[in-house]
Every structure is written in C-alpha cells, then in structure tokens.
Amino acid sequence: KMKFIIGIGGVTNGGKTTLTNRLLQTLPNCCVVHQDDFFKKPNQIEVGEDGFRQWDVITALDMEAMVNTVKGWQENPVKFARSHGVSLSPETMESESEQKGVHILIVEGFLIYNYKPLIDIYDKCFYISIPYEECKRRRSTRTYTVPDPPGLFDGHVWPMYLKHRKEMENNCNILEYLDGMTSSEDIYNEVSESIQNALLNRL
Ligand SMILES: Nc1ncnc2c1ncn2[C@@H]1O[C@H](COP(=O)(O)OP(=O)(O)O)[C@@H](O)[C@H]1O
Ligand SMILES: NC(=O)c1ccc[n+]([C@@H]2O[C@H](COP(=O)(O)O)[C@@H](O)[C@H]2O)c1
C-alpha cells in the first residue's frame, strides 16, 4: 500500500491550518499530525534572558512524542485512521489485501523542517510565508492557550522565525514556497495540483 507524507510548514498565522483543513476534506484516506498538539505545559517552557517564555523553539515541543505519532501512522495507517476517526474510502478497504490504495498523512506546523528525525520523511514539502506586517496583524487577532504577553511578537516570535527559516534553508529541503497573501482558494488549488501530480508520478 502506498504511503505519502505531505509537510505543511511555514510562519505562524501563515495559513497552515486553513490549508490543511481544506486538504483533509478532499484528499482520500488522509490523516493529520498537528505540531501544535505537542507543545509542553506552560511551566515546562523556559524563560529566556529577555523575560519571555520561549515558545518558538524546538525544545518547547515534545518532538519525541510527535515523531512517535508519525511512526505510528507509518507502521499502520489503517489503524491510525480508525483510532483518529478518519473514515477510509471503500476502495481502500476492499483493496487492503491487494496492496493498493493510497494513504496520506499531513504533518502541519511552524517547525516541521527544523528537527532532524522529521526532515527526510516528506514526499512533498510546502512552506507558507507572509510579510512581517501581515503576520503581526493576524497574530494580534489570535489567542493561544497562553495569550501573547506585550512585545512577544517583536521580541521573540519574529526573530525566532527568521532564525529557523535560515536554518531550514541550510538543511536544503526541496521546498515549494507558497505566498500566504494570496486567497486560501488559490493556495489550495496550487497545492492540490502539485499533490495530484506527485501522486500520479508515484502510481
Ligand atoms: N490565504 C489567506 N488569506 C487571508 N487570511 C488567511 C489566509 N489563510 C488563513 N488566513 C487567516 O489567518 C489566520 C491564521 O490562519 P491559520 O490557518 O490558523 O494559520 P497557521 O495555522 O499557519 O497559524 C486566521 O485568522 C485565518 O482566517
Ligand atoms: N498551542 C500552544 O499551547 C501555544 C502556546 C503559546 C504560544 N503558542 C504559539 O504557537 C505558535 C505556533 O503555532 P501556529 O503556527 O499555529 O501559529 C508559536 O508561534 C507559539 O508562540 C502556542
């Protein structure tokens, strides 16, 4: 059975979740792993010299647990789908014994290309970015489990984004860059087409 992993990375508030949800509605047998689900508890997040809790670093996340979740899908996508409430298409069910059908996993998050054990798992790597002003504006409308204290965006979030982006580009993934300023419909169409082509090449 063919397995296919799609990375949806990019800046905070770039539109990763919006795109991911749209793909989940349309791709067959598609499961998702959200990096946001692996944030440690607030009291486990270290406070930097700048006085801010350091949310935007890889150590703020339980990456071991995230990798294990991805491995769980790789080992048994059917079981994973069932235990995560993803319904499988009848075609896939029937062909289980015939080694046919495709299983897709979307890995979504702001640091999915900055952790060694995850770097080589992707069949497709997308990366959404938006400019500073728009990112700051969108972020100001969002409330996380722990709300941003004043100055966090300029003092921590954006500088860490720039740092990680540089690191990621040195890791030399084959990234497909998406402009998060275009409509979510256009972004979806572009990504959808790219995925369809990749799937066709693999069949
Ligand atoms: N293409 C887009 N154009 C304008 N706004 C968008 C677009 N995609 C998402 N948004 C908005 O930006 C905010 C962050 O979107 P979200 O998908 O949650 O981003 P992320 O998961 O990358 O943090 C939300 O308010 C969402 O409605
Ligand atoms: N989910 C949480 O518990 C939590 C708490 C505080 C900050 N955050 C923020 O989440 C961001 C990453 O998620 P998004 O890419 O969805 O914005 C980081 O910039 C981080 O500052 C998340």
Side-chain angles (χ1 to χ4, degrees), residues 10-14 16-17 36-37 39-40 42 53-56 108-111 139 142 144-148 152 156-157:
V11 71
T12 176
N13 284 273
K16 303 182 294 295
T17 309
D36 279 24
D37 292 343
F39 270 110
K40 294 175 183 172
R53 275 200 201 283
Q54 307 287 294
W55 289 101
D56 292 49
E108 177 267 322
F110 74 126
L111 287 178
R139 175 106 182 181
R142 181 104 166 250
Y144 294 95
T145 55
V146 174
D148 288 358
L152 185 80
H156 178 64
V157 175

Side-chain angles (χ1 to χ4, degrees), residues 63-79:
M63 291 307 294
E64 215 169 295
M66 184 174 172
V67 169
N68 285 334
T69 303
V70 172
K71 279 188 185 155
W73 179 87
Q74 286 173 316
E75 277 157 24
N76 194 339
V78 171
K79 188 175 162 199

Side-chain angles (χ1 to χ4, degrees), residues 80-107:
F80 188 100
R82 285 191 184 130
S83 68
H84 289 77
V86 173
S87 49
L88 300 169
S89 73
E91 193 189 45
T92 310
M93 310 287 275
E94 282 162 19
S95 54
E96 249 174 73
S97 52
E98 301 164 34
Q99 300 291 305
K100 270 199 296 180
V102 57
H103 280 281
I104 301 173
L105 180 69
I106 297 178
V107 177

